[in-house]
């Protein structure tokens, strides 16, 4: 079985889909490690009308752009997408879907998704990377919750995200 080659000769392409609401240093670490494996990585911001998010899709794309601007633009793209992840991967000429695993709850969910995706498109492979021990405790939801209570989350997220979270929750503070 061979990995699909894109027309532009860039080699093996993977998409890295997620909500990224907001991006964390765990996500950044996964992008960095994904780029060590794949020739091109497309960070794909999912638009899911069933999921309510703190940040709009445009905000999430902008935050990712600001947080990942140190990676080579020829090898990493940021896009939003709607609909089936495997369809988007296929459209992008990708042969793999990259996901991170932080522990057994992630594993149970990801295992189900990977099997479903395999049924939907058999030539797209799910690839999992274990979270780095430095970041495995970080999730977008815990970061949001902590930030909403005024905790310092600056060591968990890229600087543009820390600034945006501070702004977001400042706006929501009741008038004194
Ligand atoms: P989703 O709603 O699709 O799970 P997330 O933005 O929460 O979107 O996560 C996107 C991907 O990044 C998932 O595969 C998730 O497991 C992975 N991920 C999230 N946080 C981390 C982290 N700290 N370390 C490694 N992978 C992570």
């Amino acid at each position: 079985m061979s990995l699909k080659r894109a027309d532009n000769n860039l080699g093996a392409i993977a998409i890295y889909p997620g909500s990224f609401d907001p991006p964390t240093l765990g996500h950044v670490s996964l992008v960095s490690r994904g780029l060590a494996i794949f020739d091109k990585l497309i960070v794909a911001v999912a638009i899911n009308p069933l999921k309510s998010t703190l940040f709009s899709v445009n905000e999430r794309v902008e935050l990712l752009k600001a947080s990942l601007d140190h990676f080579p633009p020829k090898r990493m793209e940021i896009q939003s997408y709607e609909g089936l992840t495997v369809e988007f991967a296929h459209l992008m000429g990708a042969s793999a879907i990259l996901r991170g695993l932080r522990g057994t709850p992630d594993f149970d969910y990801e295992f189900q998704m990977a099997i479903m995706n395999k049924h939907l498109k058999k030539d797209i492979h799910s690839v999992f990377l274990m979270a780095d021990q430095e970041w495995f405790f970080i999730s977008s939801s815990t970061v949001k919750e902590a930030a909403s209570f005024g905790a310092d989350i600056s060591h968990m997220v890229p600087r543009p995200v820390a600034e945006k979270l501070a702004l977001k929750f400042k706006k929501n503070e009741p008038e004194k």
Side-chain angles (χ1 to χ4, degrees):
M1 196 186 316
S2 64
L3 288 180
K4 195 185 287 170
R5 298 236 150 219
D7 294 342
N8 57 10
N9 232 0
L10 263 170
I13 301 177
I15 66 160
Y16 174 34
S19 310
F20 305 104
D21 184 45
T24 68
L25 290 178
H27 292 129
V28 176
S29 156
L30 220 74
V31 169
S32 163
R33 294 165 65 208
L35 282 170
I37 301 171
F38 294 100
D39 298 297
K40 182 163 183 178
L41 196 61
I42 298 166
V43 182
V45 182
I47 303 172
N48 183 351
L50 299 177
K51 246 187 189 176
S52 70
T53 55
L54 178 65
F55 294 104
S56 71
V57 63
N58 287 341
E59 283 177 311
R60 286 178 277 150
V61 167
E62 288 310 312
L63 284 174
L64 279 167
K65 281 187 182 162
S67 305
L68 302 174
D69 63 353
H70 51 296
F71 293 114
K74 277 200 171 144
R75 296 191 53 217
M76 194 222 48
E77 264 176 40
I78 298 153
Q79 297 217 22
S80 60
Y81 75 102
E82 213 166 349
L84 283 177
T85 301
V86 281
E87 289 297 348
F88 181 70
H90 180 71
L91 203 71
M92 294 292 107
S95 54
I97 295 175
L98 176 67
R99 297 282 290 176
L101 292 176
R102 281 160 298 183
T104 39
D106 272 358
F107 179 82
D108 289 345
Y109 172 74
E110 296 293 344
F111 190 63
Q112 277 187 11
M113 283 303 297
I115 290 174
M116 172 59 101
N117 284 337
K118 198 78 197 166
H119 278 290
L120 295 171
K121 274 248 180 304
K122 67 175 180 352
D123 56 349
I124 308 254
H125 310 283
S126 293
V127 174
F128 301 100
L129 286 176
M130 297 299 297
D132 264 333
Q133 61 174 20
E134 202 178 344
W135 310 120
F136 89 103
F137 69 97
I138 294 180
S139 69
S140 297
S141 46
T142 51
V143 161
K144 274 183 289 195
E145 192 173 343
S148 75
F149 292 118
D152 177 15
I153 42 77
S154 57
H155 55 297
M156 302 178 194
V157 295
R159 185 197 289 252
V161 175
E163 289 169 0
K164 190 84 179 178
L165 277 169
L167 223 66
K168 197 82 154 180
F169 288 117
K170 202 169 163 195
K171 259 193 217 151
N172 293 343
E173 261 177 25
E175 301 273 328
K176 289 204 176 127

